[in-house]
């Protein structure tokens, strides 16, 4: 307790400490020499492959998986090809990257899941180096071949291989994955992405610094460290905008490993470098911390430090958090430090406790003191230190009235959990997720409940994982498993039965999968698996049920490729929603199929519409007519008499237009009936226009309007007058007045004013600008509104007319 | 920037901010410089979520419109396609990608599907052999876009057509999803009412989705008390009628798209003193219309006949405010005056704009043609001679007025008569085919399928009963100081809004008979709230209803709902959501079919 700072090492502004996490449980005969080692971050598992390149069939290398404390989880002989690199994915799956570019995936317990290849080309030229990295898209793999070609896959669950462009000179000395691939060739640094290879210059790194022989990006991918053959280490931001420091390590051999060591809210980022017998922490200042090493070690970058694994033990090297510094620094006067001291004196029943407390309270820093103690407890690994800090906090809290206990309570809870999982038997720190993956189900569920994690984030996830494993138990019957899963999982929120079913199917138990799918509430979720299991009919009805039309389309396209046409149509017939969606699809993509669909359903109306539409796509009149004839037949079958007749009419019109186009070059084809008549009148083909008028039973009104306008347009006033007298106008004579006025022919317009019916006479007089006449008519009809209309147009100068109108209006109003 | 979204009862800015956040996250996933290739239809709605400046901050350097052929050259690392999930767009994208590969410096491709990823489209890209070229395929869930402080739209143009003509309920799925997103942000809506087949379908999907996510209990205090889902086909009449509010008329005459209107430039020419304006602007004047503009918020929902008075009152206030400067004597007073200047100048230019717009509209509303058209509409709505061939329509056909106008009128007559007699219907149809061309037979068939044109069945015309029970026609509508929603159509009270009003008080039970006459089921559902989220209502606190129009809503209907919100004793505030903002013309247009002719 008193020596808590014993393992602190100053570096610049900060202190670094190395804490032992575990004495390793494993018993490695040859240590870590000649081993490929990969440990997952967040205290994850460790994979070990001894002598990976030895190829003698008699002594196969052994692949071993351990928990972070060294408890064996799995072990099996490696029967596949030589492995270049091991790595863990974000979901704790082990990736084994082989020399030939194939990547084998195992789960935490060493069972083989699947494999993929990094490309054909790789097989010939062999993987020289490989890297597993984490990106926003998931876990990625980058490799470089002996011929210096880089290949990248940003997400192994959605594999897309990117072969990167050639690098200048076809050689390279060090590489890292960061915004594409960062790669050096002598003193030059390049960023290699899918499209180009761009030279970049780290700010402040001169060429005299030498060739870059090692590089490393930080856990957060925000910082970059470069090591040159002159022993210089440059650090800066990974987008190469700023430099942070440059340190001369005075070492000319490249380090075996170089890992960033920083924590969120770090005071100063630094880098841990490892040589055969030396561990060095180098940061912003020119000093370094050096630790001698006895055994070969492996460094694992963590979010808040570096884990150092050797065959004997495991240590955590980290920057001492600021709050711990403040409390434990020798002769610290920080409120937290005083509070800790006060509590210590209190336990000794010394009155000094009161003095310390007073000192804090005088500065009104008691709240801050408690907060510091609570926070520091969270950072400490040793449970005794945790306890004394929390006790001090609790002691200080007694003298505060309105201090929220929340932080205190949750820290206590979290520490209990963390301490529990750090137990050697479990052998890992941190969150419940990692617990679950390691199949400590009861503990995980307890942890979730204890930490009050909402069900759907906590317990449900544990249950889901448990069920996924359960279905893999080969010794139980489908029935038994389905029942067990159902009883345990019930309808826990957020548990996807589809997911569990998919697992069952993967393990070759389709019957179990179907049983489990039945429990799935989300119909949409069931579809992909059902399709995979070739239960397409069921998939279709589930897709329809979900309401997600895209899903329906997906199943429909699938069915279409799977079934023969007849069966396919029959299936659709039983699913009207799917059928209409498919029709939509055909309308845009497959007109011919559309026709077949209508045919099958005897939908004559739609068939007829189809033929009408098709007729417009035809260039030749004959084909057009024949399609229209088919449409007529279909309309008849659909008992749509009107449409049948109208289409016949259309055909008649087309024939007529064609004939006239041939005879007179009238250019009529495609015009509407009205436009045709208009064109004929404009051409002076009155007889033909009249013929259409009669043949197509055009209403008189419309024809009169047409002829009236046409004659006025051509200014054939005599013709117009003759026409007006041909019989009683069905559109009245006001129309004549207005049309003439539109052509600015007042004298002609006036001719028709007298013929206008009394109701419209005022309007007619006004139209030709005859105010007197309008006034007479309005007075005669004694209509308010008409009188008002005339009054509105009457100029103020015409007093006489105004008086007359006003008098009449007054009289009309009296009535 | 979008402050007007947060003024209302419900802060819709939360929705916008959520959408912006998601967009930023997506853009940051593609590291490096980018060019966006836009599905043109999306640019308008996206403009309401994020301006170019936001995109620029995230290294978007170029923007292109999606079209076939080769992509324009741009020195960027990433090409991102922002597209709706449609097959025809996939083909264009494939073409783009193919032509790119031949050039020497390939770029990284990404797709962002709006509003949802589609397996069908990805399959298509796969068939075209380009799926593997995409580094990242993602979705941007943008269903409901905030258009104003109380208005959300999906701007899903073909929603009505798809639902009623093609039996394609994709838009309803998006609607249900959109409502789930809304509930995630604003709390579970405890009560759901609905009328119509589509409403029923949406409610069913919502309830099922809620079950599916049973675990993630929403802990947000509900903002909405009620959701009302209304099928457009419950009220086919309202959008057909000419809107008579200020905003409605702007939309009818010039068309408002994504909150913008384009106006003829002449009236807006800047005339400086003495300068003869030599060259008149030829580009249409583009104005943004929303409640961020104080004056517009004040007059948008007024009957147009009341707008003139409002404008002149405003003019007086503004000039009085400018006169204040003569009274400003002390330095302090002058300083205060100057500090108000920007606001006053904005008000003055806003006034000038709206005076010009009002003049433009007035030229039209005072024309005889407008008056005649309105008279006929009102005759139909009041049930005058709806069973005979209408001479005005005949004349309009003879004059070859725009086809859509004819279709609006005929449809209106049919709706107001609960279908037309065979003879009348056939007569209209023949007139249309002979005058505008036989190809419109497809459009006519569509209108019949949608129920806009109908053959009168033997049962009697029930429109008069509906009209009387719901008081759809108010003889003495007060346009200046309205006391009823009927002012928005100068007499006609929109059926959809009446249903909403009755639901709030006295409840639908009072109109069971009428509800049965309208198409589709009506229903009520309750969604359980977690304990502790039940609202403790303050005395006199208004309730909030979200009214969702499936298949579109007109500005006049929105105005009517706003009027109800403002009525002192209504006790209810309305937020409006829809698949599409529409008017009679855009609506009918969406139902038309035009075969592409090869000849002629």
């Amino acid at each position: 307790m008193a020596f808590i700072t014993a393992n602190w090492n100053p570096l610049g502004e900060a202190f670094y400490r190395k804490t032992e996490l575990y004495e390793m449980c494993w018993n490695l005969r040859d240590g870590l020499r000649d081993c490929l080692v990969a440990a997952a971050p967040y205290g994850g598992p460790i994979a070990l492959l001894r002598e990976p390149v030895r190829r003698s069939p008699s002594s196969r290398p052994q692949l071993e998986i351990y928990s972070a404390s060294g408890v064996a989880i799995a072990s099996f002989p490696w029967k596949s090809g030589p492995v270049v690199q091991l790595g863990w994915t974000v979901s704790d799956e082990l990736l084994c990257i082989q020399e030939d570019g194939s990547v084998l995936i195992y789960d935490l317990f060493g069972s083989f899941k699947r494999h993929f290849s990094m490309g054909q080309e790789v097989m010939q030229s062999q993987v020289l180096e490989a890297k597993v990295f984490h990106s926003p898209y998931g876990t990625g793999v980058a490799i470089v071949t002996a011929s210096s070609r880089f290949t990248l896959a940003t997400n192994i669950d959605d594999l897309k291989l990117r072969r990167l462009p050639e690098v200048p000179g076809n050689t390279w000395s060090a590489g890292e994955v960061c915004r594409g691939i960062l790669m050096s060739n002598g003193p030059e640094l390049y960023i290699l992405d899918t499209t180009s290879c761009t030279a970049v210059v780290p700010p402040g790194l001169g060429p005299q610094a030498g060739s870059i022989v090692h590089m490393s990006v930080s856990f957060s991918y925000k910082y970059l460290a470069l090591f040159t053959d002159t022993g210089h280490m440059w650090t800066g931001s990974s987008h190469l905008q700023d430099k942070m420091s440059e340190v001369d390590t005075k070492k000319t051999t490249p380090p075996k490993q170089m890992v960033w060591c920083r924590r969120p809210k770090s005071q100063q980022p630094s880098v841990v470098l490892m040589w055969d017998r030396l561990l060095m922490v180098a940061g912003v200042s020119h000093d370094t911390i050096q630790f001698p090493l006895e055994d070969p070690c492996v460094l694992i970058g963590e979010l808040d430090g570096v884990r150092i694994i050797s065959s004997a033990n495991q240590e955590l090297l980290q920057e001492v958090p600021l709050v711990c510094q403040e409390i434990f620094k020798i002769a610290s006067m920080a409120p937290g430090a005083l509070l800790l001291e006060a509590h210590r004196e209190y336990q000794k029943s010394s009155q000094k406790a009161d003095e310390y407390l007073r000192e804090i309270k005088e500065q009104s820093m008691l709240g801050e003191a408690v907060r510091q103690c609570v926070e520091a407890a969270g950072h400490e690994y040793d449970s005794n230190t945790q306890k004394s800090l929390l006790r001090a906090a609790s002691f200080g809290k007694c003298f505060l009235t309105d201090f929220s206990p929340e932080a205190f309570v949750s820290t206590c809870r979290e520490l209990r959990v963390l301490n529990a999982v750090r137990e050697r038997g479990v052998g890992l720190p941190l969150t419940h997720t990692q617990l679950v993956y390691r199949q400590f189900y009861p503990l995980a569920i307890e942890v979730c409940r204890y930490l009050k994690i909402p069900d759907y984030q906590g317990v449900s996830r544990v249950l889901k994982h448990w069920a996924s494993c359960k279905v893999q138990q080969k010794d139980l019957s489908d029935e038994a498993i389905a029942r067990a899963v159902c009883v345990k999982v019930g309808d826990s929120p957020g548990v996807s039965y589809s997911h569990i079913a998919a697992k069952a199917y993967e393990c070759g138990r389709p019957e179990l999968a179907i049983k489990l799918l039945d429990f799935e509430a989300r119909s949409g979720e069931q579809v992909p698996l059902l399709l995979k299991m070739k239960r397409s009919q069921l998939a279709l009805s589930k897709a329809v049920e979900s309401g997600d039309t895209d899903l329906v389309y997906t199943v429909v396209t699938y069915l279409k490729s799977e079934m023969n046409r007849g069966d396919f149509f029959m299936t659709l017939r039983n699913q009207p929603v799917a059928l209409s969606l498919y029709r939509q699809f055909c309308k845009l993509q497959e007109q011919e199929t559309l026709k077949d669909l209508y045919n099958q359903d005897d939908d004559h109306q739609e068939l007829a519409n189809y033929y009408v539409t098709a007729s417009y796509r035809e260039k030749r009149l004959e084909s057009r007519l024949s399609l229209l004839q088919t449409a007529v037949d279909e309309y008849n079958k659909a008992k749509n008499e009107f449409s049948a007749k109208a289409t016949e009419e259309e055909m008649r019109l087309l024939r007529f237009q064609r004939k006239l186009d041939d005879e007179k070059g009238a250019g009529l084809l495609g015009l509407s009936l009205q436009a045709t008549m208009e064109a004929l009148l404009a051409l002076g083909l009155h007889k033909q226009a009249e013929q259409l008028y009669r043949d197509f039973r055009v209403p008189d009104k419309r024809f009169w309007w047409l002829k009236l306008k046409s004659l006025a347009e051509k200014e054939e006033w005599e013709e117009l007058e003759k026409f007006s007298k041909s019989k009683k106008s069905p559109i009245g004579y006001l129309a004549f007045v207005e049309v003439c006025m539109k052509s600015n022919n007042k004298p002609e317009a006036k001719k028709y004013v007298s013929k206008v019916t009394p109701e419209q006479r005022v309007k007619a007089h006004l139209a030709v600008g005859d105010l007197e006449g309008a006034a007479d008519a309005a007075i005669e009809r004694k209509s308010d509104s008409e009188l008002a209309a005339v009054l509105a147009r009457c100029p103020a100068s015409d007093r006489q007319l105004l008086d007359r109108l006003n008098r009449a209006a007054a009289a009309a109003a009296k009535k | 920037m979008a402050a007007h979204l947060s003024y209302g009862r419900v802060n819709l800015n939360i929705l916008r901010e959520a959408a912006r956040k998601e967009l930023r996250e997506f853009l940051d996933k593609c590291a490096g410089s980018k060019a966006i290739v836009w599905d043109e239809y999306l640019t308008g709605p996206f403009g309401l979520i994020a301006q170019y400046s936001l995109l620029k901050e995230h290294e978007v350097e170029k923007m292109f419109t999606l079209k076939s052929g080769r992509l324009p050259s741009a020195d960027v690392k990433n090409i991102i396609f922002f597209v709706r999930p449609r097959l025809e767009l996939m083909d264009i994208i494939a073409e783009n990608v193919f032509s790119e590969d031949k050039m020497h410096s390939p770029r990284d491709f990404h797709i962002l599907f709006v509003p949802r990823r589609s397996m069908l489209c990805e399959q298509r890209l796969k068939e075209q052999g380009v799926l593997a070229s995409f580094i990242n395929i993602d979705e941007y869930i943008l269903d409901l876009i905030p258009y104003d402080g109380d208005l959300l739209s999906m701007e899903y143009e073909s929603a009505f057509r798809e639902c009623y003509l093609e039996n394609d309920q994709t838009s309803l799925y998006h609607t249900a999803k959109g409502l789930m997103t809304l509930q995630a942000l604003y709390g579970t809506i405890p009560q759901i009412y609905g009328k119509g087949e589509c409403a029923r379908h949406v409610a069913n999907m919502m309830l099922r989705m809620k079950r599916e996510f049973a675990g993630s209990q929403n802990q947000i205090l509900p903002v909405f008390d009620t959701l009302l889902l209304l099928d457009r086909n419950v009220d086919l009449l309202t959008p057909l009628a000419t809107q008579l509010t200020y905003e409605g008329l702007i939309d009818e005459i010039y068309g408002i798209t994504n909150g913008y209107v384009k106006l003829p430039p002449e009236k807006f020419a800047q005339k400086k003193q003495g300068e003869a304006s030599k060259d008149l602007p030829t580009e249409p004047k583009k104005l943004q219309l929303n409640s961020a503009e104080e004056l517009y918020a004040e007059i948008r929902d007024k009957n147009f006949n009341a707008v003139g008075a409002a404008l002149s009152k405003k003019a007086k206030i503004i000039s009085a405010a400018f006169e204040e400067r003569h009274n400003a004597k002390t330095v302090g007073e002058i300083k205060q005056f100057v500090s108000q200047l920007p606001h006053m100048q904005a008000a003055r230019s806003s006034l000038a704009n709206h005076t010009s717009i009002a003049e433009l509209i007035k030229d039209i509303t005072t024309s005889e043609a407008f008056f005649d058209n309105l008279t006929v509409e009102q005759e139909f709505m009041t049930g005058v001679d709806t069973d005979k061939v209408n001479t005005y329509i005949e004349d309009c056909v003879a004059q070859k007025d725009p086809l859509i106008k004819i279709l609006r009128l005929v449809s209106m007559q049919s709706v107001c008569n609960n279908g037309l007699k065979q003879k009348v219907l056939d007569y209209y149809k023949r007139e249309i085919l002979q005058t505008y061309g036989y190809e419109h037979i497809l459009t006519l068939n569509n209108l019949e399928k949608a129920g806009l044109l109908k053959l009168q069945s033997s049962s009697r015309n029930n429109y008069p009963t509906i009209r009387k029970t719901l008081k759809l026609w108010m003889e003495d509508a007060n346009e200046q100081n309205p006391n009823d929603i009927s002012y928005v159509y100068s007499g006609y009270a929109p059926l959809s809004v009446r249903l909403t009003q009755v639901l709030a008080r006295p409840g639908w039970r009072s109109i069971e008979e009428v509800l049965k006459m309208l198409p589709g089921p009506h229903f009520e559902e309750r969604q359980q709230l977690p304990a502790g989220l039940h609202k403790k209502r303050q005395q006199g606190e208004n309730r909030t209803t979200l009214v969702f129009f499936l298949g579109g809503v007109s500005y006049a209907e929105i105005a009517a709902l706003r009027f109800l919100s403002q009525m002192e004793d209504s006790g209810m505030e309305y937020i409006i959501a829809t698949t599409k903002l529409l008017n009679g013309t855009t609506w009918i247009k969406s139902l038309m079919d035009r075969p592409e002719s090869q000849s002629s």
Side-chain angles (χ1 to χ4, degrees), chain A residues 568-711:
Chain A
F568 174 57
F569 281 8
M570 275 318 285
T571 309
L572 286 185
R573 229 178 152 162
N574 298 325
Q575 290 286 357
V577 174
L579 179 60
S580 31
L581 285 175
Y582 184 59
R583 269 198 212 116
Q584 279 277 80
F585 171 83
C586 292
K587 236 179 229 172
L588 295 167
Q589 306 283 336
E590 291 177 19
Q591 288 280 340
E592 276 301 306
T593 316
L594 187 64
K595 189 174 74 182
D596 298 344
L597 276 175
Y598 291 142
N599 252 323
Q600 181 197 261
D601 292 347
D602 293 324
D603 190 339
H604 299 295
Q605 172 73 24
E606 286 300 337
L607 264 176
N609 289 344
Y610 169 84
Y611 285 118
V612 170
T613 315
S615 80
Y616 284 89
R617 282 197 296 268
E618 284 296 337
K619 277 202 174 74
R620 286 174 48 250
L621 185 64
E622 278 67 35
S623 352
R624 206 168 148 183
L625 286 170
S626 88
L627 281 169
L628 285 174
Q629 184 55 51
T630 325
V632 171
D633 297 343
E634 293 296 337
Y635 277 131
N636 276 327
K637 277 187 212 159
K639 303 212 162 41
N640 187 338
E641 212 177 309
F642 174 84
S643 298
K645 270 202 186 135
T647 310
E648 273 171 356
E649 255 186 46
E650 179 179 9
M651 293 167 66
R652 232 176 336 131
L653 179 66
L654 284 171
R655 288 200 188 96
F656 177 89
Q657 288 170 333
R658 165 66 162 275
K659 191 169 138 246
L660 238 71
D661 283 357
D662 288 351
E663 285 170 8
K664 319 246 177 196
L668 300 173
L669 199 68
L671 295 180
S672 75
L673 176 64
Q674 184 83 346
T676 309
M677 293 192 295
E678 225 173 278
L680 289 174
L681 289 175
L683 291 169
L685 299 169
H686 289 269
K687 223 175 82 193
Q688 282 82 352
E690 303 260 345
Q691 188 199 332
L692 286 179
Y693 155 60
R694 277 192 309 275
D695 285 0
F696 286 82
R697 295 185 294 121
V698 174
D700 287 353
K701 277 189 185 170
R702 181 145 56 83
F703 188 69
W704 272 65
W705 267 111
L706 183 64
K707 191 150 180 185
L708 164 63
K709 277 185 170 172
S710 163
L711 290 173

Side-chain angles (χ1 to χ4, degrees), chain A residues 136-137 160 162 193-195 456 493-494 521-523 545-551 553-554 557 576-577 580-581 584-585 587-589 605-606 609 612-613 616-619 624 635 640 642-643 646-647 649-650 653 669-670 672-675 678 696-699 701-702 705 709 763, chain B residues 29-30 77 87-88 91 106-108 110 117-121 124 131-136 162 166-170 173 205 208 212-217 368 391 394-395 397-400 426-427 429-431 433-439 441-442 445 449 595-600:
Chain A
Y137 306 119
K160 278 170 195 150
R162 311 202 173 272
D193 60 24
T194 44
T195 56
Y456 69 98
R522 282 171 286 185
S523 29
E545 210 175 277
S546 76
D548 182 348
T549 45
D550 184 58
L551 210 52
Y553 271 130
T554 308
T557 11
V577 174
S580 31
L581 285 175
Q584 279 277 80
F585 171 83
K587 236 179 229 172
L588 295 167
Q589 306 283 336
Q605 172 73 24
E606 286 300 337
N609 289 344
V612 170
T613 315
Y616 284 89
R617 282 197 296 268
E618 284 296 337
K619 277 202 174 74
R624 206 168 148 183
Y635 277 131
N640 187 338
F642 174 84
S643 298
T647 310
E649 255 186 46
E650 179 179 9
L653 179 66
L669 199 68
S672 75
L673 176 64
Q674 184 83 346
E678 225 173 278
F696 286 82
R697 295 185 294 121
V698 174
K701 277 189 185 170
R702 181 145 56 83
W705 267 111
K709 277 185 170 172
K763 242 183 178 175
Chain B
K29 258 200 211 171
C30 325
K77 197 167 161 290
L87 288 178
E88 64 273 20
D91 296 348
R107 300 169 281 194
D108 283 357
H110 310 258
R117 249 178 114 139
S118 145
M119 289 200 244
L120 189 69
C121 287
R124 181 58 156 245
L131 187 67
S133 311
F134 291 94
I135 292 194
N136 181 20
E162 285 177 7
E166 280 139 3
N167 194 23
D168 172 354
Q169 291 161 336
T170 307
Y173 180 71
M205 277 193 283
R208 202 185 40 250
E212 290 173 359
F213 295 101
S216 45
Q217 265 195 349
E368 205 168 317
T391 33
E394 268 185 303
D395 287 348
V397 173
Q399 309 285 353
K400 255 192 161 171
D426 285 359
Y427 180 80
K429 278 160 67 179
R430 272 191 73 218
E431 284 289 281
L433 293 181
Q434 290 193 347
T435 310
Y436 299 93
Y438 288 98
E439 66 267 29
I441 195 163
L442 299 173
N445 284 333
K449 216 166 159 185
E596 284 151 51
S597 178
Q598 292 294 316
S599 54
S600 83

